[in-house]
């Protein structure tokens, strides 16, 4: 009986299952749009970092002067008015290949040396290794780059009819060409932005600003930036951050005091603490000359020698050179500044920044070469600073 009941239930379940219809298949198709922009906020990684727009505006403001080496010596500067389009693209590729581990000044010099030799694919192939080396000897890894240029020129002649590859993968196949070079070459040579060119400056600053999660390599930084950064920023971000890194956000001792985005930078406090710690350890050794009385003739000589065009003498106030006695102090080397016994004392530091002990016994930062110490503390005629 139990077996028959179970069999009956199984039969009814099978019949019921056969009556249920499978869900209809929906074939979803998407229109292809060549101009489609990727989402600015991809869900799989992260949202746009806080204050990104504000930080970007500050960086643009600081870069208005176009005063960084990249602004006058970047790869886009090597166009050649009389050069063919193929040669102009080759100029861009060559300058990028030479730029690895090299300052812009030397890259520019080497590229211009080759251009004066009539830079082209055929020219590189016709030149001897020694001739190419002589043109680029100022760049880093110059011997390796001679080989890269020779092999690349041969590939371009054999496979691309003397032009450079039109796609990213083709560029990456060339000897000595990495992702940064390939992406920048696509932008400059072909006016086609397919990714972000990330060099050491973009890598370093993106980590300092918290735009990426402590990436170790520039290529990791590129991938993470592209996952959230609006595509409109992909091309300008390189030159903006490279110039910012060359002038303000330098690898060592960044100029946080000159950065407009310092209040929005998560790394600023760290660097400010490091700079302050170093400054507190900087001291100067002071030699105090004994006082001597000046007779009238000596006083007249001081009158003539110390008189400035603006009517102020070296002591920082009008008429101070008529004092009958003075003590001069010169800063040399390192050590602790001695407590001045008589005031005023004139201090001439040989270092641009000097630290010592003022009359009140507190540490005093002297950021100008000429200052005057008076009773009761520090008096500085220009810009002195902290106690």
């Amino acid at each position: 009986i139990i077996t028959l009941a179970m069999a009956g239930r199984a039969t009814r379940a099978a019949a019921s299952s056969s009556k249920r219809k499978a869900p209809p298949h929906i074939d979803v198709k998407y229109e292809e749009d060549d101009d489609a922009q990727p989402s600015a906020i991809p869900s799989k990684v992260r949202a746009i970092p806080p204050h990104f727009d504000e930080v970007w505006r500050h960086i643009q403001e600081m870069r208005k002067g176009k005063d960084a080496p990249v602004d006058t010596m970047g790869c886009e500067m090597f166009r050649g008015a009389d050069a063919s389009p193929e040669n102009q693209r080759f100029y861009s590729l060559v300058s990028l290949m030479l730029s690895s581990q090299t300052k812009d000044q030397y890259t520019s010099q080497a590229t211009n040396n080759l251009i004066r030799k009539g830079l082209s694919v055929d020219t590189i192939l016709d030149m001897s290794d020694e001739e190419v080396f002589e043109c680029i000897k100022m760049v880093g890894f110059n011997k390796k780059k001679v080989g890269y240029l020779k092999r690349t020129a041969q590939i371009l002649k054999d496979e691309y009819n003397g032009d450079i590859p039109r796609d990213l993968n083709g560029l990456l196949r060339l000897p000595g060409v990495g992702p940064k070079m390939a992406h920048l070459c696509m932008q400059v040579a072909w006016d086609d932005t397919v990714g972000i060119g990330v060099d050491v400056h973009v890598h370093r600053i993106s980590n300092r600003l918290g735009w990426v999660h402590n990436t170790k390599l520039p290529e990791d930084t590129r991938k993470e930036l592209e996952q959230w950064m609006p595509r409109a920023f992909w091309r300008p971000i390189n030159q903006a951050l490279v110039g910012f890194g060359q002038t303000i956000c330098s690898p060592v001792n960044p100029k946080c005091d000159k950065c407009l985005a310092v209040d929005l930078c998560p790394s600023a406090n760290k660097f400010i603490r490091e700079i302050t710690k170093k400054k507190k350890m900087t001291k100067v050794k002071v030699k105090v000359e004994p006082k001597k009385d000046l007779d009238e003739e000596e006083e007249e000589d001081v009158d003539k020698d110390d008189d400035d065009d603006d009517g102020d003498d070296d002591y920082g106030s009008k008429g101070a050179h008529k004092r009958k006695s003075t003590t001069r102090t010169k800063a040399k080397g390192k050590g602790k500044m001695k407590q001045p016994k008589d005031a005023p004392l004139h201090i001439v530091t040989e270092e641009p920044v000097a630290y010592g002990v003022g009359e009140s016994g507190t540490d005093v930062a002297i950021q100008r070469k000429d200052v005057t110490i008076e009773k009761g503390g520090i008096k500085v005629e220009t810009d002195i600073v902290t106690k």
Side-chain angles (χ1 to χ4, degrees):
I1 295 173
I2 294 174
T3 302
L4 291 174
M6 292 177 63
R9 282 198 294 271
T11 303
R12 287 194 297 273
S16 174
S17 175
S18 64
K19 292 179 181 179
R20 285 198 297 266
K21 294 182 180 180
H25 174 70
I26 300 176
D27 187 13
V28 180
K29 294 184 178 180
Y30 299 92
E31 293 185 6
E32 294 185 0
D33 183 2
D34 293 337
D35 297 326
Q37 301 293 319
S39 172
I41 308 175
S43 57
K44 64 177 182 178
V45 176
R46 61 186 292 185
I48 293 179
H51 311 296
F52 169 72
D53 289 340
E54 190 174 355
V55 171
W56 176 252
R57 284 196 300 271
H58 286 317
I59 291 175
Q60 292 290 87
E61 179 67 23
M62 290 182 282
R63 295 281 291 114
K64 277 198 313 186
K66 299 293 182 182
D67 53 353
V70 70
D71 297 317
T72 56
M73 292 174 277
C75 62
E76 67 278 359
M77 306 306 295
F78 305 104
R79 303 301 292 171
D82 300 328
S84 66
E86 293 83 3
N87 276 354
Q88 288 184 350
R89 291 190 282 269
F90 188 54
Y91 289 0
S92 300
L93 175 61
V94 168
S95 66
L96 285 164
M97 292 175 68
L98 296 177
S99 69
S100 175
Q101 301 294 313
T102 304
K103 290 185 177 181
D104 287 339
Q105 296 91 320
Y106 301 125
T107 301
S108 176
Q109 183 181 348
T111 306
N112 283 320
N113 287 344
L114 292 172
I115 291 175
R116 282 191 287 270
K117 294 283 187 179
L119 179 60
S120 69
V121 169
D122 290 331
T123 303
I124 293 294
L125 291 175
D126 292 340
M127 294 172 70
S128 66
D129 289 2
E130 291 73 19
E131 289 175 312
V132 176
F133 176 80
E134 193 62 27
C135 290
I136 70 167
K137 61 184 178 182
M138 63 289 303
V139 305
F141 301 100
N142 40 38
K143 292 182 180 179
K144 281 189 176 182
K145 290 176 183 177
V146 170
Y148 292 156
L149 289 175
K150 284 283 191 177
R151 289 156 53 199
T152 293
Q154 192 64 58
I155 292 172
L156 299 184
K157 185 177 181 66
D158 294 343
E159 301 181 23
Y160 297 95
N161 197 27
D163 206 343
I164 69 172
R166 180 62 181 84
D167 62 284
L168 187 72
N169 289 332
L171 289 169
L172 288 170
R173 284 181 53 242
L174 299 175
V177 176
K180 178 206 77 173
M181 300 179 199
H183 282 102
L184 291 178
C185 193
M186 288 295 295
Q187 294 173 14
V188 175
W190 295 110
D191 193 25
D192 186 6
T193 302
V194 296
I196 301 173
V198 177
D199 71 343
V200 291
H201 294 287
V202 179
H203 172 63
R204 178 182 70 255
I205 295 170
S206 295
N207 275 279
R208 284 181 178 177
L209 291 172
W211 290 355
V212 293
H213 293 106
N214 298 319
T215 52
K216 302 300 182 184
L217 299 172
E219 183 63 3
D220 297 333
T221 297
R222 179 190 67 81
K223 292 175 181 178
E224 190 166 336
L225 287 176
E226 288 178 1
Q227 288 173 340
W228 64 262
M229 183 173 285
R231 195 161 185 143
F233 293 90
W234 286 17
R235 181 163 185 170
I237 195 72
N238 178 270
Q239 188 166 7
L241 292 192
V242 170
F244 180 52
Q246 290 175 337
T247 55
I248 294 178
C249 197
S250 50
V252 181
N253 297 330
K255 302 177 180 67
C256 297
D257 56 326
K258 295 183 179 179
C259 181
L260 300 179
V262 64
D263 293 335
L264 302 173
C265 177
S267 303
N269 287 336
K270 169 190 171 184
F271 290 111
I272 290 173
R273 284 195 302 269
E274 289 179 357
I275 293 171
T276 303
K277 183 178 179 181
K278 289 179 182 178
K279 285 185 175 181
K280 285 182 178 179
M281 294 172 63
T282 305
K283 295 180 180 178
V284 293
K285 183 179 179 180
V286 175
K287 179 181 179 181
V288 180
E289 297 180 359
K291 290 196 305 180
K292 66 176 182 178
D293 293 330
L294 301 176
D295 57 25
E296 291 182 1
E297 293 181 2
E298 289 175 327
E299 184 179 336
E300 289 176 2
D301 290 338
V302 173
D303 237 344
K304 294 176 182 178
D305 296 338
D306 288 347
D307 193 20
D308 295 330
D309 292 336
D310 58 1
D312 291 351
D313 66 4
D314 290 338
Y315 294 92
S317 59
K318 295 182 179 180
H321 53 267
K322 292 185 179 179
R323 294 189 180 94
K324 288 288 183 178
S325 63
T326 184
T327 304
R328 289 180 178 268
T329 306
K330 292 185 178 180
K332 298 179 181 179
K334 295 182 178 180
K336 226 176 184 182
M337 184 177 288
K338 294 182 180 180
Q339 180 81 6
K341 295 181 180 179
D342 298 315
L345 293 180
H346 184 56
I347 297 179
V348 181
T349 65
E350 294 177 355
E351 300 178 12
V353 179
Y355 286 80
V357 180
E359 193 160 41
S360 61
T362 59
D363 286 343
V364 178
I366 303 168
Q367 290 192 340
R368 301 292 298 188
K369 287 194 174 181
D370 294 322
V371 301
T372 301
I373 291 188
E374 292 185 347
K375 286 183 178 179
I378 301 289
K379 175 185 176 183
V380 183
E381 298 301 325
T382 46
D383 36 309
I384 219 188
V385 286
T386 57
K387 285 189 178 182

